[in-house]
Amino acid sequence: MIRDLTDTTTTAVSKTLVRLRNDVGAMALGRVLTLIVVVDDTDASEAIDVATHASRQHPCRIIVLIPGERRGRSRLDAQVRLGGDAGASEIVVLRLYGPLAKHGPSVVVPLLLPDSPIVAWWPGEAPDDVANDPIGTMAQRRITDAAQHRNSRAVLRKRARTYRPGDSDLSWTRITRWRGLLAAALDQPPYEAVTAAVVSGAPDSPSTDLLAAWLAQRLKVPVQRVATPRGSGISAVRLERRSGPIDLVRPGDVVATLSQPGQPDRRITLPRREAREILADELRRLDPDDTYEDALLLGIEKLTPVRLSAEQAARTGKAPSPDDSRRLAARLRRDDSAKEAMAMVTAPPAPDTAETAQVRSATRRKLAGEPTPREEKAADQAADKAAYKAAYKAPKSRKTPPTRKASS
């Protein structure tokens, strides 16, 4: 259900929310937080779609704040969405015009849910200091996306200078699976210390910088960054150990390979994560992310400038080769297909009934001239019956005399 309100007030918006809620019926799930989305009009539709899907896991009230043209008189246009058009949330879209566009926090405050956490999200470019931004000061969590800025590395350094507990970035959430796979690989034998690391990624990928910073901070080893083509994201990670390197390589957008000494090569599904998925991950925790804080404040400063391309590093053996990873993934896929086909050929057919094995055994005994279990049972029953008759049947009597005729 959607209601549009033109040149309205926050009081009218609140009354409309109450009236629509009564018309639709009570919400089945309680709203656990208020999500404030600060976005430009051009990106508002996509941001609302992402927030709506994320709210299916975290029911909330979504307030979308769109600062419009600042010339002209002050005006507030609103749209209220409830029910099927809002997923598991309530969506209030606020478009501010004129001098009112500078006073977004004053417009938002009357619509906040009482006694519930507040999360602020900037899908596009965010303020330089989100913690001191008027919207950021009222939020427990402040979510940005450094990948939306032109110079992502400069933005990360700026985020480090202005960091406050509760700040987070979607570029960090995008590497959750990479961090999990690398940590799991180090938890397997031979449990050797890592002596160096190499991270291959695009120069416009802040996730690559954060992954390298996390490795540098956690492993306390030098981490070298090598460059891949722009837009390719993270391509590979190599962890050097005495027995040999651990290579996690994703040459494309979905399939990756994991190679390490003493373990079979593995083909892993490692797709790029969508915005709705990573936003839902961010909304799962409302406490400060200490691991992100260490990587941002202590790891970024340990990174050295990028001096090699991925091709140069692969030729010199300093980084894994994406071409070798593609060939390895293709070979593993063929091996898996061959194993599946062989299993289909050699696997015994499923029994039609629970007695199939017994029927086959009886057939083999019949062909061999041996009595089947059923025939043996029938013979035993016949023998028992004959013995019973022989033991208990009365002897036959002699010829009985004729009966006398009754006299008349």
Side-chain angles (χ1 to χ4, degrees), residues 67 86 99 110 122 185 216 274 319 378:
W122 289 266
E274 296 183 356

Side-chain angles (χ1 to χ4, degrees), residues 79-331:
Q79 185 183 78
V80 179
R81 302 183 184 183
L82 209 63
D85 297 295
S89 62
E90 299 172 342
I91 301 178
V92 180
V93 183
L94 304 175
R95 289 181 169 84
L96 283 61
Y97 300 95
L100 187 63
K102 300 180 181 179
H103 302 282
S106 301
V107 179
V108 168
V109 168
L111 300 174
L112 299 176
L113 289 174
D115 302 325
S116 64
I118 301 172
V119 179
W121 174 40
W122 289 266
E125 293 192 4
D128 293 339
D129 188 354
V130 292
N132 290 323
D133 182 79
I135 294 293
T137 54
M138 65 176 68
Q140 284 77 33
R141 287 296 302 273
R142 296 164 293 275
I143 304 173
T144 57
D145 192 354
Q148 301 300 323
H149 294 256
R150 295 178 181 177
N151 192 341
S152 59
R153 291 180 183 171
V155 170
L156 287 180
R157 297 188 186 97
K158 191 178 299 182
R159 294 280 177 262
R161 290 194 300 268
T162 61
Y163 176 82
R164 296 292 184 276
D167 291 355
S168 186
D169 199 279
L170 296 184
S171 299
W172 170 255
T173 319
R174 291 187 180 97
I175 64 174
T176 300
R177 293 179 180 173
W178 284 85
R179 295 192 295 122
L181 289 171
L182 292 172
L186 292 176
D187 284 340
Q188 299 178 10
Y191 307 112
E192 296 175 338
V194 177
T195 58
V198 179
V199 179
S200 304
D204 59 346
S205 170
S207 296
T208 306
D209 291 327
L210 287 172
L211 180 59
W214 173 70
L215 291 173
Q217 174 59 21
R218 287 293 174 178
L219 300 178
K220 309 298 181 184
V221 297
V223 179
Q224 185 178 8
R225 284 269 285 104
V226 297
T228 59
R230 298 181 69 87
S232 58
I234 304 174
S235 297
V237 176
R238 167 169 287 183
L239 303 180
E240 295 286 356
R241 297 191 300 182
R242 185 178 60 181
S243 61
I246 298 175
D247 288 340
L248 179 59
V249 189
R250 185 181 64 183
D253 293 334
V254 178
V255 179
T257 58
L258 178 62
S259 304
Q260 53 185 324
Q263 299 287 339
D265 297 331
R266 285 183 286 172
R267 182 171 172 265
I268 301 171
T269 301
L270 188 60
R272 293 174 179 260
R273 306 186 71 188
E274 296 183 356
R276 63 183 65 175
E277 181 183 358
I278 57 178
L279 179 62
D281 281 356
E282 279 293 332
L283 296 180
R284 283 194 179 96
R285 57 178 304 169
L286 299 177
D287 58 319
D289 191 339
D290 297 333
T291 308
Y292 168 70
E293 179 181 355
D294 291 342
L296 182 67
L297 301 184
L298 304 176
I300 290 293
E301 61 183 16
K302 297 179 180 180
L303 300 183
T304 57
V306 180
R307 295 186 175 90
L308 288 177
S309 66
E311 291 79 5
Q312 294 172 339
R315 284 197 300 267
T316 58
K318 295 182 178 180
S321 171
D323 294 335
D324 292 344
S325 177
R326 289 190 184 92
R327 287 190 288 269
L328 176 60
R331 179 176 63 81

Side-chain angles (χ1 to χ4, degrees), residues 351-390:
D352 296 333
T353 65
E355 298 180 353
T356 299
Q358 300 175 5
V359 172
R360 290 178 179 173
S361 176
T363 303
R364 286 194 297 268
R365 297 182 66 174
K366 189 69 174 178
L367 293 176
E370 300 176 359
T372 64
R374 182 174 296 179
E375 292 174 345
E376 291 180 349
K377 185 177 181 181
D380 292 342
Q381 291 176 350
D384 293 342
K385 187 175 182 180
Y388 177 82
K389 289 181 178 180

